[in-house]
Amino acid sequence: MQRLYDFIRRHPTSVDSFWAVTLFGFSMLWAAQVPTGTWPLIAAIAVITLLCVVVALRRRAPEKMLALTIVLGIVQLVIDVEVNPADWAMLVITYTIAASDGPRWISRVALFCGLSAATLAQLRWPAEKDGTIVPAIFFAVVLTLPFALAWVLGDSMRTRRAYFAELEERAARLEKEREAQSKVAVAAERARIARELHDVVAHNVSVMVVQADGAAYVLDASPAQAKQALETISMTGRQALAEMRRLLGVLRTGEQRESGEYVPQPDVEQIEDLVEQVRSTGLTVDFKVEGTARPLPSGVELTAYRIVQEALTNARKHGGPDVGASVRLVYFDDGLGLLVEDDGRGAAHELYEDGGADGRGHGLIGMRERVGMVGGTLDAGPRSGGGFRISALLPLKPAH
């Protein structure tokens, strides 16, 4: 049965042609019963044939078939071809025009012609030959109802088709919007993961490299200092592994768990530990906190920690020998201020202005992205007197 339905949908003209041939057969049976000489037989057969053609081609050229039907109706009235089975084509074309997607005025023309057909037929061929008007009105009303119902049914099909088309368009649009949102979310998540990995790897690996170089330098002259450097490397490596496990845990489970394997995200309180770790690498850091400390949003705390971490890492990498740094945390009523400065030679201009080349300079880009996510401001660049300066203001409430 499904194959039959599929064939009907794929070959509408073939189906209409079948019904046209059937209608032509019934019309010929009707014509054979009409007494000879009642009306021109050849003209009647021509009208019947063309009405059947209207049925066969109604979906291929509905407007043209409507015009042909109107002409054939007028010809019937003129040459006195009475109502016959082929006139079902008028009902069919009325439904087709109402259901088609053509101009609305054509549908109204089809409705007007359909409603007029029964009245004109009663005037031309009255049901009662005695001239009584009541039966003529009755038959005119009865024969008009099928045309009205055909037009209403076709118009309902047209409205329903338009409604389903709108639903499909809306569903397709929502699907595209959902895909676009998914791509944006994936891109944002990738950027976040890239920032976290950069902060973890750049800082901890740079500390390990500095300590390893120092240990190799004093290995023979001062084994105790070499041992202390190796211990710092071990501690830094464990910290890096813990943070890497935290990131991987978030990727796998979508949540952060405090256990022996996963650690919580860094916060403002751990900045002091970070400074002590950097001091152990030989970098002199002056750390001060101003204002009254209070709980901060987790996003602000993580952003503050990562800014200090990246700034000290850059000072150690680009500041040159004998560089010193200072870190200031200032608690305001509506935000947290950060000021990290060093007195070294500073980073190359392209690293903080143009985003760097060959993969460098992403630390400052990540800082700006982090600060922008919490609605803060960041200023980074050379400071007067030499060195580099990073200043950030993080609001306690997210920006709207």
Side-chain angles (χ1 to χ4, degrees):
M1 202 64 178
Q2 186 63 36
R3 292 182 179 179
L4 177 61
Y5 292 152
D6 293 339
F7 176 83
I8 291 174
R9 285 194 295 267
R10 291 195 304 267
H11 305 88
T13 304
S14 300
V15 176
D16 292 339
S17 299
F18 168 78
W19 291 114
V21 171
T22 304
L23 182 62
F24 181 79
F26 281 108
S27 300
M28 289 297 100
L29 291 177
W30 174 85
Q33 297 176 0
V34 176
T36 305
T38 304
W39 30 257
L41 184 59
I42 296 178
I45 293 176
V47 170
I48 291 173
T49 302
L50 291 176
L51 286 174
C52 293
V53 171
V54 168
V55 175
L57 302 179
R58 66 185 183 92
R59 279 187 275 197
R60 292 180 65 91
E63 291 85 0
K64 295 179 180 180
M65 292 302 103
L66 175 63
L68 179 59
T69 303
I70 295 173
V71 172
L72 294 175
I74 295 174
V75 170
Q76 278 189 259
L77 294 173
V78 173
I79 66 174
D80 196 18
V81 177
E82 294 185 1
V83 178
N84 58 81
D87 289 328
W88 277 97
M90 298 181 181
L91 278 173
V92 173
I93 195 62
T94 300
Y95 166 83
T96 303
I97 290 295
S100 66
D101 297 328
R104 295 294 293 171
W105 67 269
I106 297 180
S107 178
R108 296 188 182 97
V109 169
L111 175 62
F112 174 78
C113 294
L115 297 179
S116 303
T119 302
L120 294 175
Q122 284 301 309
L123 292 176
R124 187 69 173 84
W125 307 287
E128 298 292 337
K129 304 299 183 179
D130 56 1
T132 307
I133 191 174
V134 175
I137 295 176
F138 174 77
F139 281 107
V141 172
V142 170
L143 295 178
T144 299
L145 287 177
F147 287 96
L149 293 176
W151 187 89
V152 170
L153 180 60
D155 192 68
S156 299
M157 291 296 296
R158 172 192 180 123
T159 303
R160 184 180 180 185
R161 228 179 6 249
Y163 173 72
F164 280 118
E166 183 181 355
L167 288 181
E168 291 177 357
E169 181 183 0
R170 184 182 303 174
R173 186 170 63 253
L174 291 176
E175 183 68 22
K176 291 181 180 179
E177 291 178 358
R178 184 162 52 247
E179 290 179 359
Q181 292 175 356
S182 299
K183 291 180 180 179
V184 171
V186 169
E189 185 66 13
R190 287 178 176 174
R192 186 188 69 82
I193 295 172
R195 287 194 301 268
E196 291 290 332
L197 288 176
H198 175 274
D199 293 338
V200 171
V201 174
H203 173 73
N204 291 289
V205 171
S206 63
V207 171
M208 295 169 67
V209 170
V210 171
Q211 292 293 332
D213 291 341
Y217 181 77
V218 300
L219 180 61
D220 297 330
S222 179
Q225 291 185 9
K227 180 179 179 181
Q228 182 180 2
L230 292 175
E231 290 177 353
T232 302
I233 292 175
S234 176
M235 180 184 65
T236 304
R238 288 192 180 93
Q239 181 180 355
L241 287 176
E243 293 200 29
M244 291 292 291
R245 290 192 187 100
R246 176 181 61 79
L247 288 176
L248 294 176
V250 172
L251 292 177
R252 292 191 180 117
T253 65
E255 59 184 18
Q256 301 169 5
R257 297 180 293 177
E258 293 189 31
S259 63
E261 192 175 25
Y262 300 147
V263 297
Q265 288 192 359
D267 53 23
V268 174
E269 295 181 357
Q270 297 184 32
I271 292 180
E272 187 173 359
D273 297 334
L274 173 65
V275 171
E276 291 297 330
Q277 182 188 32
V278 173
R279 285 172 178 167
S280 65
T281 64
L283 179 66
T284 303
V285 182
D286 181 24
F287 176 64
K288 290 183 179 180
V289 179
E290 301 177 5
T292 304
R294 58 182 176 278
L296 301 173
S298 58
V300 172
E301 294 205 9
L302 178 61
T303 300
Y305 181 91
R306 293 304 187 194
I307 289 176
V308 175
Q309 183 183 52
E310 181 64 24
L312 294 179
T313 300
N314 290 341
R316 186 172 54 250
K317 291 169 61 177
H318 307 293
D322 301 327
V323 61
S326 64
V327 178
R328 297 288 185 273
L329 266 67
V330 183
Y331 286 90
F332 298 105
D333 293 337
D334 57 350
L336 176 67
L338 290 174
L339 179 62
V340 184
E341 296 180 309
D342 67 74
D343 55 6
R345 63 191 177 200
H349 179 271
E350 61 270 11
L351 289 182
Y352 62 85
E353 186 67 24
D354 300 328
D358 299 331
R360 299 180 299 168
H362 290 291
L364 291 175
I365 295 176
M367 284 188 196
R368 298 188 187 279
E369 291 177 349
R370 288 184 182 277
V371 172
M373 289 176 62
V374 297
T377 57
L378 178 72
D379 181 28
R383 74 184 187 98
S384 59
F388 204 77
R389 178 178 182 273
I390 294 177
S391 175
L393 179 60
L394 308 178
L396 298 184
K397 295 183 179 180
H400 294 288

